[in-house]
Amino acid sequence: MVLVSGRAHPQLAADVAEHLGTEVLETETRTFANGELYARYSESVRGADAFVLQSHTDGINEWIMEQLIMVDALKRASAKRITVVMPCYPYARQDKKGRGREPISARLMADLFKVAGADRIMSVDLHASQIQGFFDGPVDHLFAMPVLMNYFKEKVGDDPNLTVVSPDMGRVRVADRWSDQLGSPLAIIHKRRDPKVANQVSVHEIVGSVEGRTCLMVDDLIDTGGTIQKAAEALKASGASKVIVAATHAVFSGPAKERLHCDAIDEVVVTDTLPVPAEKRFETLTVLSIAPLLARAIHEVFEDGSVTSMFDGAA
């Protein structure tokens, strides 16, 4: 097994390597004056089962290109199998055409990595499960739910007033699974998004009772935080006593920190699929490690085991 990492989130790679009982292979990566990227491995990878880990955080296009170049370098160095580990799938929200003359950029990402030489893709909580079909090869769709669930079972598992909330119709299925696991009722926020304006959402109504209850709102990612803030404000306006937010990917663009650190939200819990630097953190933020989950999945793939078994057959 060979584990290599790009420069976007080296701490996550180090944590994954520690759980695997190995080390991240030293890689010479640099950016030239004109922005071109370069990557070379310090040791032979001929015949290796290689895992290329990269988190697509701020400067996303640079990190995508770096990972593509690293995959190409492995292919040309005769690695036996190349698995692209992208904890947060890039361009995942562009998974379909909503209007004419739009791209399906999530499919483009899959095509790029296939051409570069990837044999397999591993990702956590895809924005839409259909993305698995975009790649011509195995896709390991991992779920952060066990990591988050362990935290919440200890924190609010005994709360008889707990209600799981889906922030929109698209996350109802996931929220329903949370509801079953925690033995709590489900509420849904109906919202309408303007397709011509990014990150603009209007919350309309709440389906379900939230008055006097602790609301646990679950989502796959938080970008600018506008959706979550408005949803939390709607819940508090409807009488919710407490609002906790759980999300897998902490994109935290622009005003996210200020929006999430507000009176309407009591706590935000995310994983470190993306790096959360000090300047993006705030008092009510909790960051959980995704490294044990990734390490176990990598081990299962390397040993030709079952990734599905990690999630009780749900994957």
Side-chain angles (χ1 to χ4, degrees), residues 73-273:
L74 284 167
K75 178 180 69 174
R76 297 179 190 282
S78 302
K80 179 180 69 176
R81 180 172 63 175
I82 302 170
T83 300
V84 168
V85 184
M86 43 176 72
C88 183
Y89 191 99
Y91 288 85
R93 285 173 285 182
Q94 297 183 38
D95 62 312
K96 60 184 177 296
K97 288 180 66 173
R99 296 184 296 161
R101 301 178 297 282
E102 285 186 340
I104 303 179
S105 304
R107 169 60 192 264
L108 176 61
M109 291 297 105
D111 289 345
L112 286 170
F113 280 100
K114 186 65 178 180
V115 171
D119 298 297
R120 190 182 197 104
I121 285 179
M122 183 180 294
S123 193
V124 183
D125 282 347
L126 293 170
H127 187 66
S129 294
Q130 70 194 41
I131 291 174
Q132 295 174 85
F134 292 172
F135 183 73
D136 187 16
V139 176
D140 297 306
H141 185 194
L142 311 182
F143 301 106
M145 185 177 173
V147 177
L148 294 162
M149 186 63 70
N150 286 340
Y151 175 84
F152 285 110
K153 279 185 176 179
E154 292 183 8
K155 190 174 182 68
V156 296
D158 297 329
D159 188 347
N161 292 317
L162 181 67
T163 294
V164 176
V165 179
S166 173
D168 57 43
M169 298 303 295
R171 303 303 295 174
V172 171
R173 184 181 176 190
V174 173
D176 193 42
R177 288 180 60 201
W178 276 77
S179 176
D180 288 342
Q181 288 281 326
L182 292 170
S184 304
L186 176 67
I188 303 166
I189 296 178
H190 173 65
K191 69 178 185 181
R192 183 166 297 159
R193 187 187 297 272
D194 185 346
K196 297 181 181 179
V197 184
N199 304 313
Q200 290 280 341
V201 171
S202 297
V203 175
H204 287 268
E205 62 180 9
I206 297 171
V207 180
S209 176
V210 298
E211 186 173 358
R213 302 188 67 83
T214 298
C215 293
L216 174 57
M217 187 159 40
V218 294
D219 209 347
D220 61 328
L221 64 83
I222 302 175
D223 191 353
T224 62
T227 300
I228 295 297
Q229 182 188 31
K230 287 187 176 182
E233 289 172 348
L235 290 170
K236 283 289 180 77
S238 296
S241 61
K242 192 174 183 181
V243 175
I244 303 171
V245 177
T248 304
H249 309 299
V251 181
F252 288 4
S253 302
K257 177 179 178 178
E258 291 72 26
R259 288 175 173 176
L260 296 172
H261 192 206
C262 66
D263 294 337
I265 301 175
D266 296 278
E267 185 181 11
V268 178
V269 183
V270 297
T271 73
D272 62 349
T273 56

